[in-house]
Amino acid sequence: MASIGEFDPLNNIVPATKIEVTVSCRSSLTAFFVLCLFAVVVLYVQGIGTKEWREFGRTEVIDNTLNPNFVRKFFLDFFFEEKQNLRFDVYNVDSRSSNISKFDFLGQTFCTLGEIIGSAGGRLEKSLSGIPGKKLGSIIFVAEELSNCRDIATMQLCANKLDKKDFFGKSDPFLVFYRSNEDGTFTICHKTEVVKNTLNPVWQPFTIPVRALCNGDYDRTVKVDVYDWDRDGSHDFIGEFTTSYRDFSRGQNQFNVYEVLNPKKKGKKKKYINSGTVTLLSFKVESEYTFVDFIRGGTQLNFTVAIDFTASNGDPSQPTSLHYINPYQMNAYAMALKAVGEIIQDYDSDKLFPAYGFGAKLPPDGKISHAFPLSGDYDNPNCVGIDGVLEAYFRSLRTVQLYGPTNFSPVISQVARSAQDVTDGSQYFVLLIITDGVISDMVQTKEAVVNVSRLDRSHCSATIPSTDPMEELDGDEIRVSSRGRFAERDIVQFVPFRDYMDRSGNQVLSMARLAKDVLAEIPEQLLGFMKSRGIEPRPALSPSDLPELHRHI
């Protein structure tokens, strides 16, 4: 296989170079950042043909600081021959919503990826603009090409006799890890959690990609700062030490006990020895498997769809209905189903997809069901291919009565039963729920999500239109919980359908964007499950091992 940036004679292309972009912000004396309590940076990329700006990703939210250094990176494919326009918007997040329209805009800047890479040392500082009459400070980018190293390191550290920084208590210590750059600067790569009110903290084990820690250079300097956390964001510096990946890899021994030194205190006090010590308790390295590794090893994605048949969608005979039966054009539900299904079906060899409806009265007795098979056969809910699902959907529209309420939990529990006996990683289950977003059983649905988070399953929702309560199920920032129990992992991806309706009427483009974002978290969720269960991918299948259907495609 060709390495990054190497010519691949089999595909006759040069693979993209992977670039990691780290972001930080700096305030000016009159910076608008003074109002920024919860800062986040959102990256937009511009399409080459459409010139349309699309959200690429977001940093984590950092609270109570004028000069946030974000740990979450942006990973971009760099093409020398293209002008890759980027836009970075800075916001103050003052609500739990992920909807940007509810954030306070603090400024923006524009640049190209080549501009960042081509700057001295791969470091570019740009002024923020966008609010007339305000000096908004600046935003700093640091770019570095990523190595091919796929190892991940898990380590745990503790400290002993750290300096006391709090007047009424001890200290609330946390660690910040930086990797060194060629120009002598440092790039943040990890923060530990805060351990409250102790001078002898033991931090939780954490996992970090080796390339994030040292980019494959085992002797590269790693600097670790020790801070005392303060609520107002003005964290007190306790001290620092330096090490390297190679030193860490030796594990727990006398050489991995580090003196925490504070240069200012050392310069002022002749009898100063140190500000405490930090000890490496454990260190191990594992290979980081990819989504493709599991697919090549034979893991199948089992795709199930559940469609909202409640009356809030409107009468299917009327053009205003989301279920409108139009002989000349697909309705919103059909478009979403087709866009997502046509992508995911490539990873399911038998092309048999269970399809359910919920919230309808069924013939002949008008009984309300929240998990009825669109095929009409409770013993066999499968439809053949995405076209088969669409046929069953339109057939059901003509035979059932839209009713209510909109209950998710029955269909989640129904399809979860098919996943509970598969524990070897040979299958991964994906449930797509297409709904108008008005959910009636949020408490029960949260309970169902928490229960199935231990299974090899993901849930993605294309919501038509969107409503904020649906976002409670998307655990990107806050893990879903029910009755004091938290979901083992984030298994829900919420996507508001209305954000993808192309004003120019280009349904192909808008549905491609919808499918991309609906499915975006599936690979990471699959990997999270496999890792949590210690499941490794099987060796890549040879052509003779592939299912008969795949060999003839």
Side-chain angles (χ1 to χ4, degrees):
M1 190 170 82
S3 61
I4 291 178
E6 179 181 348
F7 180 72
D8 184 350
L10 295 178
N11 296 319
N12 200 30
I13 59 172
V14 177
T17 300
K18 282 288 185 183
I19 301 296
E20 175 197 86
V21 176
T22 303
V23 181
S24 59
C25 297
R26 295 293 177 266
S27 66
S28 61
L29 292 177
T30 58
F32 196 55
F33 273 118
V34 72
L35 298 179
C36 182
L37 299 178
F38 301 93
V40 66
V41 175
V42 183
L43 167 60
Y44 296 85
V45 297
Q46 189 176 45
I48 295 177
T50 64
K51 300 299 182 184
E52 176 186 15
W53 290 105
R54 293 189 54 225
E55 182 178 334
F56 180 85
R58 306 181 185 186
T59 65
E60 78 277 17
V61 176
I62 294 184
D63 60 327
N64 294 329
T65 178
L66 300 180
N67 304 305
N69 293 315
F70 298 96
V71 175
R72 188 178 297 170
K73 320 291 185 181
F74 297 115
F75 300 99
L76 298 159
D77 290 329
F78 170 60
F79 299 94
F80 175 77
E81 67 277 14
E82 295 179 10
K83 183 180 181 182
Q84 296 173 264
N85 292 320
L86 310 176
R87 186 183 97 208
F88 295 86
D89 290 2
V90 185
Y91 292 94
N92 176 32
V93 181
D94 55 2
S95 74
R96 288 184 56 183
S97 172
S98 61
N99 189 339
I100 287 179
S101 65
K102 298 185 178 181
F103 300 168
D104 295 325
F105 177 71
L106 299 178
Q108 65 182 187
T109 195
F110 298 82
C111 65
T112 67
L113 182 55
E115 189 178 357
I116 301 175
I117 295 172
S119 298
R123 183 183 187 277
L124 175 67
E125 184 167 358
K126 300 270 291 186
S127 296
L128 290 166
S129 61
I131 303 178
K134 295 284 187 180
K135 291 184 179 180
L136 305 178
S138 62
I139 186 167
I140 301 167
F141 311 106
V142 177
E144 183 166 1
E145 180 179 350
L146 288 176
S147 75
N148 282 324
C149 178
R150 286 169 52 179
D151 290 343
I152 55 173
T154 301
M155 68 180 84
Q156 184 177 22
L157 300 100
C158 69
N160 188 44
K161 296 182 179 179
L162 295 177
D163 284 352
K164 180 177 178 295
K165 290 291 185 179
D166 293 340
F167 184 77
F168 292 108
K170 296 181 180 178
S171 288
D172 305 316
F174 67 96
L175 304 176
V176 183
F177 289 72
Y178 304 85
R179 70 162 183 261
S180 61
N181 303 315
E182 292 182 0
D183 62 356
T185 60
F186 288 89
T187 298
I188 188 171
C189 56
H190 182 75
K191 285 182 184 178
T192 67
E193 80 281 10
V194 176
V195 181
K196 291 293 189 71
N197 195 33
T198 180
L199 303 181
N200 304 296
V202 178
W203 290 280
Q204 292 294 319
F206 66 89
T207 297
I208 183 172
V210 171
R211 68 184 185 186
L213 190 65
C214 66
N215 205 19
D217 178 359
Y218 294 172
D219 296 309
R220 179 186 290 214
T221 298
V222 175
K223 182 168 75 80
V224 183
D225 287 352
V226 186
Y227 285 96
D228 168 42
W229 178 84
D230 286 330
R231 187 178 300 277
D232 63 3
S234 59
H235 311 308
D236 298 319
F237 178 70
I238 295 176
E240 64 185 13
F241 64 91
T242 60
T243 182
S244 68
Y245 171 83
R246 191 177 301 280
D247 287 340
F248 273 149
S249 66
R250 295 188 175 102
Q252 185 181 23
N253 59 45
Q254 68 271 26
F255 300 107
N256 274 323
V257 179
Y258 301 95
E259 285 192 298
V260 178
L261 301 177
N262 188 317
K264 289 186 177 179
K265 292 184 70 172
K266 186 176 182 179
K268 293 179 179 178
K269 298 182 179 180
K270 292 182 179 180
K271 294 184 179 181
Y272 175 82
I273 299 176
N274 59 48
S275 295
T277 59
V278 170
T279 300
L280 179 68
L281 293 177
S282 63
F283 186 91
K284 68 175 181 177
V285 180
E286 301 171 303
S287 293
E288 183 180 33
Y289 297 114
T290 68
F291 176 74
V292 174
D293 289 333
F294 283 97
I295 296 301
R296 283 169 57 86
T299 296
Q300 294 284 301
L301 297 187
N302 287 341
F303 177 56
T304 303
V305 63
I307 298 176
D308 183 344
F309 280 82
T310 59
S312 57
N313 288 282
D315 185 344
S317 65
Q318 299 299 316
T320 55
S321 172
L322 297 170
H323 283 303
Y324 179 49
I325 302 175
N326 185 338
Y328 305 106
Q329 182 178 336
M330 287 193 297
N331 62 35
Y333 277 85
M335 285 193 294
L337 173 59
K338 187 176 179 65
V340 175
E342 285 187 341
I343 291 176
I344 204 167
Q345 70 177 353
D346 290 341
Y347 305 95
D348 188 329
S349 60
D350 63 15
K351 302 294 187 289
L352 296 177
F353 305 120
Y356 296 90
F358 58 91
K361 283 187 174 181
L362 307 184
D365 56 2
K367 182 179 179 180
I368 300 173
S369 175
H370 295 292
F372 61 91
L374 300 188
S375 66
D377 186 348
Y378 281 87
D379 294 326
N380 182 17
N382 291 328
C383 300
V384 180
I386 297 305
D387 288 339
V389 177
L390 287 169
E391 290 176 11
Y393 160 61
F394 286 118
R395 186 169 58 248
S396 295
L397 274 180
R398 293 181 172 90
T399 58
V400 306
Q401 178 187 347
L402 304 192
Y403 202 70
T406 308
N407 292 344
F408 282 9
S409 58
V411 74
I412 292 176
S413 299
Q414 168 75 22
V415 297
R417 284 191 281 272
S418 60
Q420 62 187 4
D421 295 328
V422 181
T423 59
D424 62 355
S426 62
Q427 301 179 63
Y428 190 81
F429 296 79
V430 177
L431 169 62
L432 171 68
I433 301 176
I434 312 177
T435 175
D436 69 356
V438 184
I439 185 170
S440 305
D441 65 336
M442 180 63 77
V443 173
Q444 294 85 348
T445 296
K446 284 184 175 181
E447 177 78 7
V449 168
V450 170
N451 287 338
V452 302
S453 66
R454 60 184 174 82
L455 303 175
D456 45 356
R457 176 171 292 281
S458 291
H459 303 286
C460 40
S461 300
T463 310
I464 318 170
S466 68
T467 55
D468 287 343
M470 279 290 297
E471 296 176 3
E472 292 183 37
L473 300 176
D474 193 334
D476 285 348
E477 300 296 337
I478 300 175
R479 193 65 55 86
V480 177
S481 63
S482 174
R483 295 192 294 183
R485 296 186 304 129
F486 284 85
E488 288 189 14
R489 55 198 179 93
D490 172 24
I491 60 169
V492 178
Q493 170 73 338
F494 161 75
V495 174
F497 185 92
R498 66 182 177 191
D499 290 353
Y500 296 84
M501 298 306 295
D502 191 274
R503 295 175 182 174
S504 65
N506 188 335
Q507 290 184 4
V508 175
L509 176 63
S510 59
M511 289 305 97
R513 291 173 48 222
L514 172 74
K516 177 180 181 295
D517 288 351
V518 165
L519 299 173
E521 294 185 3
I522 297 298
E524 184 177 345
Q525 290 169 354
L526 181 149
L527 291 173
F529 171 79
M530 299 299 185
K531 182 178 179 181
S532 69
R533 298 300 183 269
I535 299 173
E536 297 184 358
R538 298 167 181 171
L541 297 175
S542 65
S544 61
D545 295 327
L546 293 176
E548 190 70 22
L549 179 62
H550 271 187
R551 294 209 299 271
H552 292 287
I553 288 178

